[in-house]
CSV table of all heavy atoms in Angstrom, one decimal:
chain,number,residue,atom,x,y,z
A,131,LEU,N,-27.4,-2.2,7.3
A,131,LEU,CA,-26.9,-0.9,7.8
A,131,LEU,C,-28.0,-0.2,8.5
A,131,LEU,O,-27.9,1.0,8.8
A,131,LEU,CB,-26.5,0.0,6.6
A,131,LEU,CG,-25.3,-0.5,5.8
A,131,LEU,CD1,-25.0,0.4,4.6
A,131,LEU,CD2,-24.0,-0.7,6.7
A,132,THR,N,-29.1,-0.9,9.0
A,132,THR,CA,-30.2,-0.2,9.6
A,132,THR,C,-29.8,0.5,10.9
A,132,THR,O,-30.3,1.6,11.2
A,132,THR,CB,-31.3,-1.3,10.0
A,132,THR,OG1,-30.6,-2.4,10.6
A,132,THR,CG2,-32.1,-1.7,8.8
A,133,GLN,N,-28.8,0.0,11.6
A,133,GLN,CA,-28.4,0.7,12.9
A,133,GLN,C,-27.2,1.6,12.7
A,133,GLN,O,-26.7,2.1,13.7
A,133,GLN,CB,-28.2,-0.3,14.0
A,133,GLN,CG,-29.4,-1.1,14.3
A,133,GLN,CD,-29.1,-2.2,15.4
A,133,GLN,OE1,-28.6,-1.9,16.4
A,133,GLN,NE2,-29.3,-3.4,15.0
A,134,THR,N,-26.7,1.7,11.5
A,134,THR,CA,-25.4,2.5,11.2
A,134,THR,C,-25.7,3.9,11.1
A,134,THR,O,-26.6,4.3,10.2
A,134,THR,CB,-24.8,1.9,9.9
A,134,THR,OG1,-24.6,0.5,10.0
A,134,THR,CG2,-23.4,2.6,9.7
A,135,PRO,N,-25.1,4.8,11.9
A,135,PRO,CA,-25.3,6.3,11.7
A,135,PRO,C,-24.9,6.7,10.3
A,135,PRO,O,-23.7,6.4,9.9
A,135,PRO,CB,-24.3,6.9,12.7
A,135,PRO,CG,-24.1,5.8,13.7
A,135,PRO,CD,-24.2,4.5,13.0
A,136,LEU,N,-25.8,7.3,9.5
A,136,LEU,CA,-25.5,7.4,8.1
A,136,LEU,C,-26.2,8.7,7.5
A,136,LEU,O,-27.4,8.8,7.6
A,136,LEU,CB,-26.0,6.1,7.3
A,136,LEU,CG,-25.6,5.9,5.9
A,136,LEU,CD1,-24.1,6.0,5.7
A,136,LEU,CD2,-26.1,4.5,5.5
A,137,LEU,N,-25.4,9.6,6.9
A,137,LEU,CA,-26.0,10.7,6.2
A,137,LEU,C,-25.9,10.5,4.7
A,137,LEU,O,-26.7,11.1,3.9
A,137,LEU,CB,-25.1,12.0,6.5
A,137,LEU,CG,-25.5,12.9,7.7
A,137,LEU,CD1,-24.6,14.1,7.7
A,137,LEU,CD2,-27.0,13.3,7.5
A,138,GLY,N,-25.0,9.7,4.2
A,138,GLY,CA,-24.8,9.5,2.8
A,138,GLY,C,-23.5,8.8,2.6
A,138,GLY,O,-22.8,8.4,3.5
A,139,ALA,N,-23.2,8.5,1.3
A,139,ALA,CA,-22.0,7.7,1.0
A,139,ALA,C,-21.4,8.1,-0.4
A,139,ALA,O,-22.2,8.6,-1.2
A,139,ALA,CB,-22.3,6.3,1.0
A,140,ALA,N,-20.1,7.9,-0.5
A,140,ALA,CA,-19.5,7.9,-1.9
A,140,ALA,C,-19.4,6.5,-2.4
A,140,ALA,O,-18.9,5.7,-1.6
A,140,ALA,CB,-18.2,8.6,-1.8
A,141,TYR,N,-19.8,6.3,-3.6
A,141,TYR,CA,-19.7,4.9,-4.2
A,141,TYR,C,-18.7,5.0,-5.3
A,141,TYR,O,-18.8,5.9,-6.2
A,141,TYR,CB,-21.0,4.4,-4.7
A,141,TYR,CG,-20.9,3.1,-5.4
A,141,TYR,CD1,-20.7,1.9,-4.7
A,141,TYR,CD2,-21.0,3.0,-6.8
A,141,TYR,CE1,-20.6,0.7,-5.4
A,141,TYR,CE2,-20.9,1.8,-7.5
A,141,TYR,CZ,-20.7,0.7,-6.8
A,141,TYR,OH,-20.6,-0.5,-7.5
A,142,CYS,N,-17.7,4.1,-5.3
A,142,CYS,CA,-16.8,4.0,-6.5
A,142,CYS,C,-16.8,2.6,-7.1
A,142,CYS,O,-16.5,1.6,-6.4
A,142,CYS,CB,-15.4,4.4,-6.1
A,142,CYS,SG,-14.2,4.3,-7.5
A,143,ALA,N,-17.3,2.5,-8.3
A,143,ALA,CA,-17.5,1.2,-8.9
A,143,ALA,C,-16.2,0.6,-9.3
A,143,ALA,O,-16.1,-0.7,-9.5
A,143,ALA,CB,-18.4,1.4,-10.2
A,144,ASP,N,-15.1,1.3,-9.4
A,144,ASP,CA,-13.8,0.8,-9.8
A,144,ASP,C,-13.0,0.2,-8.7
A,144,ASP,O,-11.9,-0.3,-9.0
A,144,ASP,CB,-13.0,1.9,-10.6
A,144,ASP,CG,-13.7,2.2,-11.9
A,144,ASP,OD1,-14.1,1.3,-12.6
A,144,ASP,OD2,-13.9,3.4,-12.1
A,145,ASP,N,-13.4,0.3,-7.5
A,145,ASP,CA,-12.7,-0.2,-6.4
A,145,ASP,C,-12.9,-1.8,-6.3
A,145,ASP,O,-13.8,-2.3,-7.0
A,145,ASP,CB,-13.1,0.4,-5.0
A,145,ASP,CG,-12.7,1.8,-4.9
A,145,ASP,OD1,-11.9,2.3,-5.8
A,145,ASP,OD2,-13.1,2.5,-4.0
Side-chain angles (χ1 to χ4, degrees):
L131 297 178
T132 46
Q133 295 176 60
T134 306
L136 190 53
L137 267 184
Y141 172 75
C142 180
D144 292 313
D145 287 353

